[in-house]
Amino acid sequence: MPAGLNRALLTLAGAVVAIVLAIAVCSVAIVAAGGDPLHALTAFFDFGASERAQSNSVATLFNRAVPLFIAGLAVAVGFRMNLFNIGVEGQYRIAAICAAYVGSTFVAPAPIQIAVIIIVAMVAGGLYALIPAIMKVTRGVNEVIATIMLNYIALNITAYLVRGPFAGTRAEGELTVSTPPLPDSGMFPDLNFLFGWFGMLAPTREGGLWGFLVVAIVLGVVLWVVLERTRFGFDVKASGLNQSAALAAGVNPKRMVIAAMVLSGAIAGLIGLPEILGSTGSFGTTFTSGLGFLGIAVALLGRNKPVGIAVAALLFAFLDRAQGALQFANIPPSVVEIIQGAIVLLVVVANEVTNRFALRLEERRAARQLKVTA
């Protein structure tokens, strides 16, 4: 069996074992809380009693997976450079409010309107990620500390902007505050027609199946090509593995740090757009938070590969979607967070174990080949 295939099968086996162990750990937590693990398992696969409810559940699953997938890609770019971009949370919030506000200030044909919103989001996210990159290459500031602090700054900046300069008009007595709504040309077309292909009713909840799913798929393919099939991707990986060796090969590690962080921030800037362009049409005080931190777990689970990140995002979205069904089954919804945390922890351990096991197998194979040639 080829070494690459052998390593891939070991990685897959390790991930499966980790997920099974995570379910076992969660079952113990469910029993401790007075619940029934079998009822919980049934609730996870409960997509609704009616056809419309099932369509809504499927749409919710993919709508949740799309921003998680983009967040995982953003984190993975930093990981490939051996950079821990913990600031994805702040970067996507800054980008989302800037894009939502700029998009509400003009009206243009839909392709131009949406393209401008996307560009603004990527530029805002990339520029905010440039701050810790410059701090690292010029002053040696650890990117983890810098990005964590910038998350808090971003949180307060967005809170100020949405209640101040970027605030839209609101009805009397309304508690939520948001930016002015986007024009109709700024809303991304949905993909509800796909349900008809499978004989299902079109979803009606939260704008149906968000069309930004197409952008996420294209982004994943493009990023895979850039990181795996271009000189830039090789330079990123080489600089992350050994900066001294990369410098000797003619690669400027400092320049690659800046490039990787800006690219990571630009991708992070897209995280909030599926919700804004597909459902809410604005950035408000109820805007979804925490996606940047979940992206770290998704990237780790997906081994920093777009395909693996997509699978991890779908898994996390599947677990998140079941929170409502778990409550109806009298099971604490916190079980979902226990499972997610256990999966990430056990997968990291499993990856280390399988890597060491694969390395030993390769060493033994190489030793046998030496004996044969001798």
Side-chain angles (χ1 to χ4, degrees):
M1 183 181 296
L5 179 60
N6 190 26
R7 183 179 287 271
L9 291 175
L10 285 173
T11 301
L12 178 61
V16 172
V17 171
I19 293 173
V20 172
L21 289 176
I23 295 174
V25 170
C26 190
S27 298
V28 175
I30 294 173
V31 172
D36 186 348
L38 292 180
H39 287 170
L41 185 62
T42 303
F44 277 118
F45 292 93
D46 181 10
F47 280 76
S50 65
E51 293 185 6
R52 183 75 69 183
Q54 292 171 2
S55 298
N56 287 333
S57 294
V58 172
T60 300
L61 169 65
F62 283 99
N63 289 347
R64 179 63 173 173
V66 168
L68 288 176
F69 174 65
I70 299 174
L73 292 178
V75 175
V77 171
F79 281 166
R80 292 293 289 266
M81 180 66 199
N82 203 22
L83 293 171
F84 294 90
N85 184 11
I86 312 299
V88 168
E89 180 73 17
Q91 291 153 18
Y92 92 82
R93 293 182 72 86
I94 288 289
I97 193 171
C98 290
Y101 179 73
V102 171
S104 68
T105 59
F106 71 101
V107 178
I112 298 176
Q113 186 94 21
I114 294 174
V116 170
I117 293 173
I118 291 176
I119 292 172
V120 169
M122 296 186 71
V123 170
L127 289 176
Y128 202 67
L130 179 63
I131 299 173
I134 293 177
M135 293 171 65
K136 182 177 179 64
V137 300
T138 59
R139 309 304 300 175
V141 178
N142 186 283
E143 74 275 6
V144 175
I145 298 174
T147 52
I148 288 176
M149 295 299 101
L150 285 168
N151 280 339
Y152 289 102
I153 295 173
L155 179 63
N156 287 280
I157 288 177
T158 54
Y160 163 73
L161 291 176
V162 78
R163 291 177 174 86
F166 290 180
T169 58
R170 58 171 174 166
E172 185 177 354
E174 188 176 356
L175 298 178
T176 59
V177 184
S178 65
T179 57
L182 294 175
D184 291 340
S185 60
M187 301 301 292
F188 213 100
D190 61 56
L191 299 177
N192 290 344
F193 65 89
L194 294 178
F195 287 83
W197 294 0
F198 298 94
M200 300 175 66
L201 296 177
T204 56
R205 186 187 304 164
E206 297 179 350
L209 181 60
W210 296 341
F212 213 81
L213 172 64
V214 177
V215 178
I217 294 173
V218 173
L219 177 64
V221 173
V222 171
L223 189 62
W224 178 83
V225 172
V226 169
L227 294 180
E228 302 291 344
R229 293 292 184 270
T230 65
R231 173 64 185 270
F232 174 80
F234 172 79
D235 290 347
V236 167
K237 188 174 182 179
S239 300
L241 291 174
N242 191 321
Q243 291 193 4
S244 299
L247 184 61
V251 179
N252 188 332
K254 292 185 177 181
R255 184 180 301 170
M256 297 312 301
V257 167
I258 293 176
M261 282 294 289
V262 170
L263 177 59
S264 177
I267 295 173
L270 300 176
I271 296 172
L273 294 191
E275 179 179 343
I276 294 174
L277 301 184
S279 176
T280 62
S282 62
F283 180 99
T285 51
T286 58
F287 185 72
T288 303
S289 61
L291 295 174
F293 297 120
L294 283 174
I296 299 173
V298 170
L300 288 173
L301 186 58
R303 299 294 300 274
N304 301 322
K305 304 288 186 180
V307 174
I309 292 172
V311 174
L314 286 171
L315 174 61
F316 272 55
F318 173 78
L319 295 174
D320 285 340
R321 183 210 57 82
Q323 290 188 8
L326 287 173
Q327 288 181 330
F328 283 113
N330 295 322
I331 297 170
S334 57
V335 165
V336 171
E337 297 180 4
I338 295 175
I339 293 179
Q340 290 175 340
I343 287 176
V344 174
L345 178 62
L346 292 171
V347 164
V348 170
V349 174
N351 286 342
E352 183 64 25
V353 172
T354 54
N355 284 339
R356 293 186 180 185
F357 186 68
L359 182 60
R360 289 185 179 180
L361 289 178
E362 292 172 4
E363 290 175 348
R364 291 176 183 176
R365 184 182 294 108
R368 286 196 297 267
Q369 290 176 351
L370 287 175
K371 289 182 180 180
V372 171
T373 56

